[in-house]
Amino acid sequence: MNKRTILGILLSIAVIPFAVQAEISTDVHIQSDTDPVRLDIDRRTFEEIKSLLNQGYPTVSVMLHIVSLGTSINDVVYLAVKADPSRAQEFYDTAVSLLPLLPGWTIQDVDSADRYYITYLAGDLGALSTVAEVARRFFDEDQRISPFPKWNQGEFHIMATTAELAGLISDEFWYQKGTLQPGSPRDASNRPIFISFYRDQNEIVIDSGVERIRKAQQQGILELPVVFVYNDIRTRPISRYPADVTATEIVNDFFERGLKLTAVPEWQDVGDFHMFGSVQELLGLINARSKNEIDPGRWERITQDIRDNGFQEPLLLSLFNSGDGQVWANEADRLVAAAELGITEIPVVYLYHDLGRPPCGHLIRNTVLICAAAVAGGASPSICQPPPVPGQPYRTSGGGGGGSPLPTPTPPPTTPPPTTTPPPPPSPVRP
């Protein structure tokens, strides 16, 4: 790519509009198994790309055709390199040259290790069916067990020894237990133990329901079913934050730095939650109706229910990172009623939603993403030549300020490419 082409791209892409396409991650199942690009689930697209390339269609036409079907350009590059690794340079150069012509939704702003990764079946572990081995494969090789089990129907990833699980119990946690209701899911004898992995520190955090593990030890139960939660590079357990962290700080960490909390498994029925939030502070974060705007009959029902039962289910805050940040509450009227009744704190669960697309005009970020996709597909990192614009900052999909772009990723031959997002600035969360 010559300097004139690079300059043309930089000038052109700055004025291209982009489409809005939200990605929803609301619970443990969705969050832990969200939209990975694997040949098994993208077989049809992969075969179509491979067929068109083999028939001699121009690479640019093949890419534009697949993008027009709704596939992101970095996914097209990944699948094209998988189809014909010998043409990786051609695929990379073509994709970069198309950037000025494409809307923003065609780029998936997801760190490569969270989008292109190796999966395996639980049965592949064999004699090494332990939490330690599953963690090692994730932290060292970015491998994840697939598919995610229907845990509320009794499915699980592996059976782990009670002794190993007991050794993982610590003061760290990613949610707090709600009031146990009779007949709730946590009462089920086949409910699995959740184990959450955090790639930023190679940290293992075990389910908050540790009493079941201790009880199993006392009863001589040797194994328990386990479900693993694979967190992306920007997800944290709530225990990383100080005990006095505020809802505003949690919200700002998402809007300004893209940091999220691991989803709560059972906020329904059981009432599990992330943290207690100040009622007055929460009212300042959302657009809620005043008491006078609420139907009197509804107001009476709400206030009487709160007097009788309190908040059996937590308040759900939906956060949408659209650039300026928006916050919604699922029960805003109940929050207003709680304030009227003098309740100062209620349990809160955070639900995160992000465009997952880089802002239009950030060519460097886009080329790094395309490079990472090509490398994940099997290309050599040497094919990548991001435009050299020293000192030009960019913003990540989470809104956090970035510094100069990182150099082209150079992962080991047997592992997916590392994250390409610059480290975020300091915040209340513990390192």
Side-chain angles (χ1 to χ4, degrees):
M1 182 184 300
N2 58 40
K3 292 182 179 179
R4 180 175 297 178
T5 303
I6 293 172
L7 179 60
I9 292 174
L10 287 171
L11 293 176
S12 300
I13 198 167
V15 297
I16 306 246
F18 63 93
V20 174
Q21 180 172 324
E23 292 179 342
I24 300 175
S25 297
T26 57
D27 60 26
V28 164
H29 188 154
I30 298 174
Q31 178 171 304
S32 189
D33 201 30
T34 177
D35 195 24
V37 176
R38 304 188 302 266
L39 291 185
D40 58 338
I41 65 171
D42 289 275
R43 177 63 60 182
R44 182 173 178 177
T45 304
F46 172 69
E47 293 296 344
E48 185 169 4
I49 290 174
K50 188 174 182 179
S51 174
L52 292 172
L53 292 173
N54 288 341
Q55 292 178 59
Y57 283 94
T59 299
V60 64
S61 292
V62 174
M63 287 190 166
L64 289 174
H65 168 65
I66 301 300
V67 166
S68 70
L69 298 179
T71 305
S72 69
I73 187 64
N74 37 340
D75 289 353
V76 173
V77 171
Y78 170 79
L79 294 171
V81 172
K82 282 287 188 182
D84 190 349
S86 67
R87 298 171 64 182
Q89 184 73 65
E90 175 190 350
F91 298 146
Y92 170 81
D93 290 342
T94 302
V96 171
S97 71
L98 288 174
L99 286 176
L101 307 174
L102 300 176
W105 65 262
T106 60
I107 282 284
Q108 284 274 2
D109 192 4
V110 179
D111 291 314
S112 57
D114 290 322
R115 186 156 182 78
Y116 310 107
Y117 53 79
I118 301 169
T119 61
Y120 63 96
L121 300 175
D124 296 336
L125 291 166
L128 294 176
S129 186
T130 64
V131 175
E133 174 61 14
V134 174
R136 186 199 66 77
R137 290 189 180 207
F138 178 56
F139 296 141
D140 296 348
E141 303 174 12
D142 201 22
Q143 296 187 20
R144 314 181 192 199
I145 300 178
S146 180
F148 194 86
K150 298 176 182 178
W151 61 269
N152 51 4
Q153 298 179 24
E155 295 182 0
F156 54 89
H157 278 129
I158 68 169
M159 295 292 292
T161 67
T162 306
E164 184 181 23
L165 294 174
L168 295 172
I169 296 174
S170 70
D171 294 331
E172 304 301 316
F173 58 94
W174 78 87
Y175 69 94
Q176 302 185 53
K177 293 186 298 180
T179 303
L180 181 64
Q181 303 297 318
S184 73
R186 196 181 288 149
D187 279 335
S189 58
N190 60 355
R191 181 194 183 276
I193 302 296
F194 288 96
I195 297 181
S196 199
F197 295 140
Y198 298 91
R199 292 176 50 229
D200 66 311
Q201 293 187 4
N202 285 10
E203 183 181 17
I204 302 174
V205 179
I206 201 162
D207 196 335
S208 290
V210 297
E211 70 281 347
R212 185 177 171 206
I213 299 173
R214 295 191 174 111
K215 185 176 180 180
Q217 281 186 303
Q218 295 171 357
Q219 296 176 341
I221 298 174
L222 300 180
E223 292 184 322
L224 291 172
V226 170
V227 165
F228 298 105
V229 179
Y230 296 99
N231 292 283
D232 65 40
I233 197 66
R234 289 187 176 271
T235 301
R236 307 286 187 264
I238 184 63
S239 57
R240 293 268 192 94
Y241 287 86
D244 59 352
V245 65
T246 65
T248 301
E249 290 172 324
I250 297 293
V251 169
N252 287 343
D253 249 7
F254 177 57
F255 290 152
E256 297 174 5
R257 304 176 62 214
L259 295 183
K260 303 172 288 185
L261 299 174
T262 304
V264 172
E266 294 172 298
W267 54 265
Q268 293 179 305
D269 302 319
V270 178
D272 291 343
F273 60 100
H274 279 125
M275 57 178 277
F276 283 104
S278 161
V279 169
Q280 291 301 324
E281 181 191 13
L282 292 168
L283 283 172
L285 291 173
I286 66 171
N287 292 320
R289 297 187 293 180
S290 66
K291 175 183 177 181
N292 295 334
E293 296 174 306
I294 301 173
D295 176 76
R298 173 173 170 76
W299 178 262
E300 179 60 30
R301 291 191 299 272
I302 290 173
T303 52
Q304 189 60 50
D305 180 64
I306 294 175
R307 290 190 188 99
D308 294 341
N309 304 304
F311 276 79
Q312 290 188 341
E313 291 189 0
L315 181 77
L316 305 181
L317 283 187
S318 294
L319 313 183
F320 179 51
N321 192 358
S322 58
D324 52 356
Q326 299 291 328
V327 182
W328 292 270
N330 67 317
E331 296 185 320
D333 291 350
R334 288 176 63 85
L335 185 61
V336 174
E340 183 77 13
L341 294 172
I343 297 174
T344 58
E345 287 188 332
I346 60 171
V348 178
V349 164
Y350 299 92
L351 306 178
Y352 298 94
H353 313 280
D354 203 323
L355 295 176
R357 305 297 191 273
C360 181
H362 291 291
L363 177 64
I364 293 176
R365 174 63 174 167
N366 295 347
T367 55
V368 168
L369 289 166
I370 291 174
C371 172
V375 173
S380 167
S382 64
I383 70 168
C384 305
Q385 299 176 2
V389 187
Q392 177 176 319
Y394 65 94
R395 295 180 69 82
T396 68
S397 61
S404 299
L406 294 183
T408 300
T410 310
T414 57
T415 61
T419 177
T420 55
T421 305
S427 83
V429 67
R430 299 204 312 268

